[in-house]
């Protein structure tokens, strides 16, 4: 018995070393990733979305392969900060790919899919706003706002089938976003130009505004009528 205890005691350093070079490395990587996420949260609170994006990218790079939901959540958070740091087109592309990956995954958290779809719809909404301000023709921006409308419609219809006070409030929010998307598509360009540019569109370029023949001269902005207001707008972080 004494010999057995001695052998167990002597084996502790070996076990500790095995953990350090095995699972311990993954835990260290997870700790590093969590540290980056905390830094990103601080940057977001300070309004430094560019720094937050970089911290989320670092967290994603440090995170070991494992739970796909963790990676999805970081990618979603990073796309949101991109939307607020003048990188709306990049965020929109990233969100579309992220939603496809989530839907193809076997065990993706459904709430993550809902939040990503909502954020994608928001990015498409603001991309439409941006493309219209750049004077792009309807055949280029209409597919964007139609995709946004379809996403909001799916979110609203799915939520409507659920029960509960919170679900009813969420349905109303999605329905409001859907109506905003419809108004944006129907609004005259001069009315749109008279509105304040959303934060998500400032400093952005759709990447299509340098095509020859796409520019339109800005029409004199007329006063907004009672029915021209787009109403509550999605903020890119979910309704």
């Amino acid at each position: 018995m004494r010999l057995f205890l001695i052998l167990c005691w002597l084996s502790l350093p070996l076990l500790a070393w095995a953990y350090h070079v095995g699972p311990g490395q993954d835990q260290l990587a997870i700790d590093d990733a969590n540290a980056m996420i905390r830094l990103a949260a601080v940057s977001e609170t300070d309004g430094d979305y560019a720094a937050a994006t970089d911290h989320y990218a670092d967290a994603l790079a440090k995170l070991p392969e494992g739970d796909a939901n963790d990676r999805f959540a970081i990618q979603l958070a990073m796309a949101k900060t991109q939307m607020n740091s003048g990188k709306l087109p990049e965020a929109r592309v990233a969100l579309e790919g992220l939603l496809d990956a989530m839907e193809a995954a076997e065990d993706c958290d459904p709430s993550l899919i809902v939040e990503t779809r909502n954020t994608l719809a928001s990015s498409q909404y603001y991309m439409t706003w941006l493309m219209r301000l750049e004077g792009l023709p309807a055949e280029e921006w209409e597919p964007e706002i139609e995709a946004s409308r379809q996403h909001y419609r799916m979110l609203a219809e799915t939520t409507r089938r659920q029960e509960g006070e919170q679900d009813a409030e969420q349905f109303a929010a999605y329905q409001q976003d859907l109506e905003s998307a419809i108004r944006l598509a129907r609004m005259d360009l001069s009315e749109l130009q008279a509105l304040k540019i959303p934060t998500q569109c400032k400093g952005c370029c759709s990447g299509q505004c340098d095509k020859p023949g796409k520019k339109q001269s800005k029409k004199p902005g007329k006063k907004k009528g009672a029915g021209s207001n787009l109403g509550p707008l999605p903020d890119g972080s979910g309704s």
Side-chain angles (χ1 to χ4, degrees):
M1 184 64 179
R2 181 180 298 178
L3 178 60
F4 175 75
L5 292 176
I6 293 174
L7 290 175
C8 289
W9 175 259
L10 293 176
S11 66
L12 287 178
L14 180 60
L15 293 174
W17 177 83
Y19 177 82
H20 177 73
V21 299
Q25 290 299 308
D26 285 347
Q27 187 58 52
L28 288 173
I30 291 173
D31 291 343
D32 289 342
N34 285 332
M36 291 297 102
I37 291 173
R38 287 192 293 271
L39 288 176
V42 172
S43 296
E44 285 189 78
T45 300
D46 294 340
D48 191 349
Y49 296 106
T53 298
D54 291 339
H55 290 317
Y56 281 129
D58 288 341
L60 198 60
K62 293 177 181 297
L63 193 67
E65 295 294 334
D67 190 348
N69 285 322
D70 289 341
R71 306 190 72 84
F72 288 151
I74 294 174
Q75 288 174 285
L76 176 56
M78 185 166 64
K80 289 181 179 180
T81 57
Q82 285 180 311
M83 288 178 63
N84 287 298
S85 62
K87 294 183 178 180
L88 175 60
E90 293 90 334
R92 184 247 179 272
V93 172
L95 286 164
E96 190 170 43
L98 180 58
L99 182 60
D100 288 342
M102 286 181 173
E103 292 180 327
E106 294 182 356
D107 300 317
C108 183
D109 184 347
S111 64
L112 274 177
I113 296 179
V114 168
E115 188 176 358
T116 300
R117 187 181 301 280
N118 189 26
T119 308
L120 173 58
S122 180
S123 71
Q124 291 167 328
Y125 176 95
Y126 288 115
M127 277 294 297
T128 301
W129 193 311
L130 183 61
M131 294 167 76
R132 292 201 66 188
L133 287 181
E134 290 176 355
L136 299 181
E139 58 264 25
E140 295 197 27
W141 58 259
E142 281 181 345
E144 199 74 20
I145 195 62
E146 175 62 17
S148 176
R149 188 185 71 83
Q150 291 289 352
H151 284 306
Y152 281 134
R153 180 182 177 183
M154 180 182 298
L155 289 166
E157 290 182 347
T158 302
T159 308
R160 182 175 56 184
R161 292 192 292 267
Q162 300 170 352
E163 298 180 357
E165 182 178 349
Q166 185 175 0
D167 294 323
E169 293 177 356
Q170 189 64 71
F171 167 73
Y174 288 143
Q175 190 68 23
Q176 200 168 57
D177 291 340
L178 174 59
E179 292 169 0
S180 293
I182 294 172
R183 285 195 293 271
L184 177 58
R186 295 177 177 175
M187 180 174 288
D188 185 80
L189 179 60
S190 60
E191 292 179 300
L192 186 65
Q193 291 170 333
L195 296 177
K196 182 180 179 181
I197 298 177
T199 301
Q200 288 85 348
C201 294
K202 292 179 180 179
C204 293
C205 177
S206 70
Q208 303 178 68
C209 57
D210 56 350
K211 294 181 180 179
K214 299 297 184 185
K215 290 286 186 178
Q216 296 179 7
S217 59
K218 183 174 181 179
K219 299 177 183 178
K222 62 182 179 181
K223 298 293 184 180
K224 278 194 298 179
S228 66
N229 190 0
L230 289 179
L233 305 179
D235 64 0
S237 60
S239 297

